[in-house]
Amino acid sequence: MVSTSSPAEVKEQETSPSGEGMRTVRSIMRLLLMVVFVGYMMIWIIMPTNTYYLKWFPHIHKKTDSTYFGQEGADILIYTFPILFTATMGCLLLHMGNKNVDINNQSRAKKSYRASWNRPALVKGPLGIVSWIELSFLVMFIALFVWSISSYLHDMFAYATLEAAAKKEHVWENKLGSVALTLGIVGNIGLAFLFFPVSRCSSILQIIGLTSEASIKYHIWLGHLVMTLFTAHGLCYVVYWGSTNQISEMLKWNKVGVSNVAGEVALLAGLAMWAMSIPRIRRKTFELFLYTHHLYIVFLVFFVFHVGFSYACIMLPGFYLFLIDRFLRFLQSQRRIRLVSARVLPCEAVELNFSKSPGLNYSPTSMVFVNVPGISKLQWHPFSVTSSSKFDHDKLSVVIKSDGNWSQKLYQELSSSQPADCREFSVEGPYGPASSNMLRHDTIVMVSGGSGITPLISVIRELLFEANNLGGKAPKILLISVFRKTLDLTMLDLILPVSGTNLDISRLQLQIEAYVTREKEPMSESYKPLQTIWFKPNPSDAPVSAILGQNSWLWLGMIISSSFVIFLVLMGILTRYYIYPIDHNSSMIYSDSARSALNMLFLCVSIATTATAVFLWNKKQTLKEMGQIQVLDTPTPTTASPSGRFAVAEQELESLPHRSFVESTTVYYDRRPDLKRILSEREGSSIGVLVSGPRKMRQEVAAICSSGLANNLHYHSLSFSW
């Protein structure tokens, strides 16, 4: 959540005894999380060694073996519990608002130290723009990957000759089997981390300063790595079975142990997803990529059948958190959201203004996912939020550029002479960073390309609010926007909301430079003016609200912890009173597939029950607080529709309430900005550089900031969707 406390209030809270106590508690929690994290990493490091598998792991199994959890208890304790504990503690930290206080408490030296780690380390290449801290984690992951492969192969090859003689096979065949097994085991390293980046409300990502949108590239890299390893794992085993006359192994589904058929089904599902995720195919047929990606359900279910639930506990934590996040998003997506108004721009873009619960707070540069059932019931498209929860108390806005079948259909209907009558909309989110403290910079340079201006609009509105209400000196702002055509300049008319503002715009030192690259002079012919459409409310529609209320992080932590406890109780009852009387913890009698299926069922039931209960409770509390959806006043329409369900108003650009912004814009034609010169001329001890645009533009700015041109440049790359 975004804190709305003033600097004076924050300072008073920090100096109070309760503030000192809270800082002490947070410090203890961080230290505890650090200990858990180091311990969890040590497990990954020692896992490939014989010391772990032949001594430590059997000893832990012996100590934790019980009639309630069997041998799975040790795997849950070692692999699953540390991450779920970290996620729960992270939720508590975020609930206490530690990030806002930390930002105010940090010394300039600490800020400079953290900023140096966030500077771009790699600018060009297949990895895109990578900061020093990202590069550090990448190096550690590669080191773990190489260490695991070398350690497993070294230990397996040491006994290759003896095993080959015992099995009456060639040494190279035995080593090939060892390589196949190693590739499968190491593939689980990538699979264990694969789902963390795609959990949109992840406390783990937030406490390390990442968002799901910014870390989606890690999911892509890990996906390629996992499928490469698993494909090689399968091919090596096929060759091994063929050379040792065991090809019939491909058709075996063992009652106990590894089930080869299940692994083959999982691999086929993974290959289908992998093929559709090839960049060229994904860009041309995104819908096909989206639909085939739902095969992850088949992949994971049969993966668990293949290796057994006990071994699957290695990758369970990330998937467990993803399941909670996915189910909560499903619950939120069932609500129909009220569309208050829409602004149709002549550049084939439309701004949608949704009703918002006043209690919903979010940071600038957040994003939402929008679904229009009338166009497609299955397609959800991400869009950057242009509104500010501080500036726009009762509305949430997004801008959609007509680019693609889905967006073109929506624009055509809203721009027609008789717009569609109160279309149904569903919204997921918003998702974004935990906080955004732009006031720490003396100067802010914003660089956007095309529709990349949309997340910057939310930042400008936030800074305008803070300049008028927090009493501090607002930073100087230079907005550099690059467009292809003159018509695209109308995107600048969205800087202020459709209802205007009562804030003093002069307090915001904003300078706008716009560059039109494909035209040599202003467009002479007239074009259709900006059109505003106001919709009357539908009683069944609801405002956009936080899925878990105002204390979202606290409730999320409760869902993670309570659902896990319920799952353990159900699994304990199943093992003690059904499986143990049959198997007696031998893992040799009761079917592993049946055990895995029941555990997966209990896991889903635990998450669904807990999340639904918390969701319904918060929904009830939200309705009680709001009473009922208030009907917003609409302007007197110039053209009313026959049905009376909406009103249309047209405005010339010069008559917009933010005329001062339009007049302050300097427009350059048939040229691109000299970003190196512009950034080198900026004055200030701390200059924040925000970039939102095509990859080439982000790489250019990142290269300038990392070149040592000026030590006071702090690079921030924003992901945008439109």
Side-chain angles (χ1 to χ4, degrees):
M1 290 296 182
V2 178
S3 174
T4 56
S5 302
S6 66
E9 292 173 333
V10 171
K11 185 176 181 180
E12 182 180 351
Q13 293 171 3
E14 293 171 358
T15 56
S16 65
S18 61
E20 291 288 343
M22 290 297 289
R23 285 203 300 274
T24 303
V25 172
R26 285 192 295 270
S27 298
I28 295 174
M29 293 174 66
R30 291 193 197 97
L31 179 61
L32 181 59
L33 288 178
M34 182 62 66
V35 172
V36 174
F37 174 77
V38 172
Y40 186 70
M41 289 297 101
M42 288 300 298
I43 291 174
W44 280 104
I45 294 174
I46 65 175
M47 270 179 61
T49 64
N50 284 333
T51 302
Y52 176 75
Y53 267 110
L54 300 180
K55 296 181 180 181
W56 292 9
F57 193 62
H59 180 72
I60 296 174
H61 259 295
K62 184 178 179 180
K63 291 293 185 180
T64 58
D65 190 18
S66 69
T67 58
Y68 286 93
F69 300 106
Q71 296 184 2
E72 294 171 345
D75 297 287
I76 292 175
L77 177 64
I78 296 173
Y79 305 121
T80 305
F81 175 75
I83 294 299
L84 297 188
F85 176 79
T86 301
T88 303
M89 294 292 288
C91 289
L92 294 178
L93 276 173
L94 292 169
H95 174 70
M96 290 188 292
N98 67 306
K99 285 191 173 292
N100 267 336
V101 178
D102 287 347
I103 291 173
N104 287 285
N105 286 340
Q106 285 177 342
S107 65
R108 183 173 294 273
K110 288 184 178 180
K111 290 179 181 178
S112 177
Y113 177 77
R114 291 190 63 181
S116 63
W117 278 97
N118 288 324
R119 288 180 179 272
L122 301 176
V123 177
K124 296 182 180 180
L127 302 181
I129 301 173
V130 180
S131 66
W132 282 107
I133 191 168
E134 290 174 327
L135 184 61
S136 300
F137 279 108
L138 181 62
V139 170
M140 287 189 289
F141 181 81
I142 294 175
L144 174 63
F145 179 76
V146 174
W147 157 250
S148 298
I149 290 181
S150 59
S151 181
Y152 280 123
L153 290 179
H154 176 269
D155 292 339
M156 291 181 184
F157 283 1
Y159 301 96
T161 303
L162 294 177
E163 290 183 0
K167 295 180 180 180
K168 297 180 180 181
E169 59 187 23
H170 295 96
V171 175
W172 73 266
E173 292 173 337
N174 185 271
K175 289 185 176 181
L176 178 61
S178 299
V179 170
L181 178 60
T182 298
L183 291 172
I185 295 174
V186 175
N188 289 323
I189 297 177
L191 190 60
F193 296 98
L194 182 64
F195 290 94
F196 287 106
V198 290
S199 297
R200 295 173 189 169
C201 286
S202 171
S203 59
I204 292 180
L205 290 179
Q206 292 282 2
I207 60 179
I208 61 177
L210 294 176
T211 63
S212 177
E213 309 86 63
S215 56
I216 194 67
K217 59 185 177 183
Y218 307 128
H219 174 74
I220 297 174
W221 302 344
L222 288 171
H224 289 309
L225 175 64
V226 167
M227 286 312 304
T228 299
L229 292 172
F230 283 166
T231 302
H233 164 73
L235 291 176
C236 286
Y237 262 120
V238 171
V239 175
Y240 170 73
W241 289 330
S243 63
T244 56
N245 299 318
Q246 301 180 69
I247 201 66
S248 60
E249 290 287 332
M250 294 183 63
L251 304 177
K252 287 188 177 181
W253 188 307
N254 296 326
K255 181 180 179 180
V256 177
V258 175
S259 301
N260 295 331
V261 174
E264 291 154 12
V265 174
L267 181 59
L268 290 175
L271 289 173
M273 289 188 291
W274 196 21
M276 293 301 103
S277 64
I278 296 174
R280 181 175 298 180
I281 297 177
R282 186 180 70 244
R283 285 192 293 265
K284 290 186 177 180
T285 57
F286 182 79
E287 294 180 12
L288 183 61
F289 157 78
L290 181 65
Y291 298 148
T292 55
H293 235 59
H294 287 86
L295 288 172
Y296 77 87
I297 300 173
V298 177
F299 172 82
L300 286 170
V301 168
F302 282 89
F303 172 82
V304 175
F305 285 150
H306 175 57
V307 300
F309 189 83
S310 181
Y311 189 79
C313 288
I314 295 176
M315 51 74 59
L316 181 61
F319 184 63
Y320 192 96
L321 297 176
F322 170 77
L323 270 183
I324 292 176
D325 178 79
R326 186 65 189 88
F327 187 73
L328 288 174
R329 289 191 280 119
F330 168 76
L331 293 176
Q332 187 183 30
S333 66
Q334 302 307 301
R335 295 183 291 191
R336 292 292 176 258
I337 302 302
R338 181 196 166 192
L339 179 63
V340 178
S341 63
R343 283 198 285 183
V344 182
L345 277 66
C347 62
E348 295 190 352
V350 59
E351 178 192 57
L352 302 179
N353 299 294
F354 298 104
S355 174
K356 180 185 79 71
S357 170
L360 173 62
N361 295 322
Y362 52 87
S363 296
T365 73
S366 295
M367 64 187 304
V368 296
F369 286 76
V370 178
N371 170 259
V372 185
I375 298 178
S376 174
K377 294 182 179 180
L378 298 178
Q379 292 186 38
W380 289 82
H381 293 264
F383 299 101
S384 298
V385 176
T386 56
S387 54
S388 165
S389 59
K390 297 179 181 178
F391 189 98
D392 309 281
H393 298 287
D394 55 1
K395 283 190 284 294
L396 183 146
S397 305
V398 298
V399 174
I400 301 175
K401 192 75 165 62
S402 181
D403 183 31
N405 295 332
W406 187 90
S407 56
Q408 286 177 356
K409 290 180 181 178
L410 180 62
Y411 178 80
Q412 289 171 0
E413 292 188 6
L414 291 175
S415 62
S416 63
S417 57
Q418 296 295 331
D421 184 11
C422 256
R423 267 200 173 280
E424 290 185 347
F425 288 85
S426 295
V427 175
E428 283 184 10
Y431 308 106
S435 63
S436 176
N437 185 25
M438 294 298 171
L439 291 178
R440 69 182 185 272
H441 298 299
D442 302 318
T443 303
I444 298 177
V445 179
M446 304 180 182
V447 183
S448 69
S451 297
I453 192 176
T454 52
L456 300 181
I457 292 176
S458 65
V459 178
I460 293 174
R461 292 188 187 182
E462 185 95 352
L463 291 173
L464 177 59
F465 173 86
E466 293 178 343
N468 279 265
N469 292 275
L470 299 187
K473 182 180 178 181
K476 297 179 181 179
I477 304 174
L478 172 61
L479 173 61
I480 303 172
S481 297
V482 181
F483 300 105
R484 293 181 178 180
K485 300 179 181 179
T486 303
L487 277 179
D488 296 331
L489 292 172
T490 54
M491 296 285 290
L492 297 173
D493 297 312
L494 301 177
I495 291 180
L496 287 184
V498 62
S499 56
T501 179
N502 295 324
L503 299 179
D504 185 3
I505 299 176
S506 62
R507 291 196 177 186
L508 191 67
Q509 304 177 62
L510 174 63
Q511 177 186 352
I512 304 177
E513 294 183 3
Y515 293 81
V516 181
T517 59
R518 296 191 177 182
E519 293 179 359
K520 296 184 178 180
E521 57 185 14
M523 188 175 60
S524 57
E525 64 271 16
S526 60
Y527 50 85
K528 187 177 180 180
L530 183 146
Q531 184 183 48
T532 303
I533 307 168
W534 296 85
F535 296 93
K536 291 187 177 181
N538 188 326
S540 62
D541 290 344
V544 180
S545 58
I547 187 172
L548 297 178
Q550 297 188 25
N551 299 316
S552 293
W553 289 118
L554 182 63
W555 285 111
L556 180 60
M558 186 177 296
I559 291 173
I560 295 172
S561 56
S562 59
S563 63
F564 185 58
V565 170
I566 293 174
F567 167 66
L568 292 179
V569 170
L570 293 176
M571 188 178 71
I573 294 174
L574 171 71
T575 305
R576 176 64 183 84
Y577 297 103
Y578 180 64
I579 298 178
Y580 181 76
I582 301 173
D583 192 81
H584 298 286
N585 282 353
S586 66
S587 299
M588 298 298 293
I589 301 174
Y590 192 79
S591 171
D592 283 349
S593 297
R595 187 197 300 261
S596 298
L598 289 172
N599 283 331
M600 286 189 287
L601 175 63
F602 288 159
L603 186 145
C604 294
V605 169
S606 303
I607 291 175
T609 303
T610 311
T612 302
V614 173
F615 171 78
L616 293 177
W617 169 261
N618 279 280
K619 182 179 180 181
K620 180 180 178 181
Q621 294 299 113
T622 302
L623 293 176
K624 185 183 296 186
E625 293 173 0
M626 295 191 60
Q628 59 182 4
I629 301 174
Q630 298 180 351
V631 179
L632 300 179
D633 295 331
T634 58
T636 304
T638 57
T639 305
S641 68
S643 64
R645 297 287 287 172
F646 55 83
V648 181
E650 293 185 351
Q651 293 177 292
E652 297 292 343
L653 296 182
E654 290 78 7
S655 66
L656 290 172
H658 47 284
R659 183 179 178 184
S660 59
F661 280 139
V662 178
E663 290 180 345
S664 65
T665 302
T666 303
V667 183
Y668 301 94
Y669 288 90
D670 195 28
R671 58 182 291 192
R672 296 182 178 275
D674 186 352
L675 296 175
K676 186 174 183 179
R677 177 189 60 80
I678 293 173
L679 293 176
S680 63
E681 292 177 352
R682 294 301 101 189
E683 297 180 354
S685 59
S686 177
I687 302 175
V689 183
L690 280 71
V691 188
S692 177
R695 180 177 179 178
K696 186 177 181 180
M697 172 181 286
R698 288 184 280 116
Q699 289 178 333
E700 179 183 0
V701 177
I704 296 173
C705 293
S706 61
S707 63
L709 177 68
N711 293 326
N712 57 349
L713 296 178
H714 304 280
Y715 174 82
H716 305 273
S717 178
L718 305 180
S719 58
F720 73 97
S721 303
W722 42 270

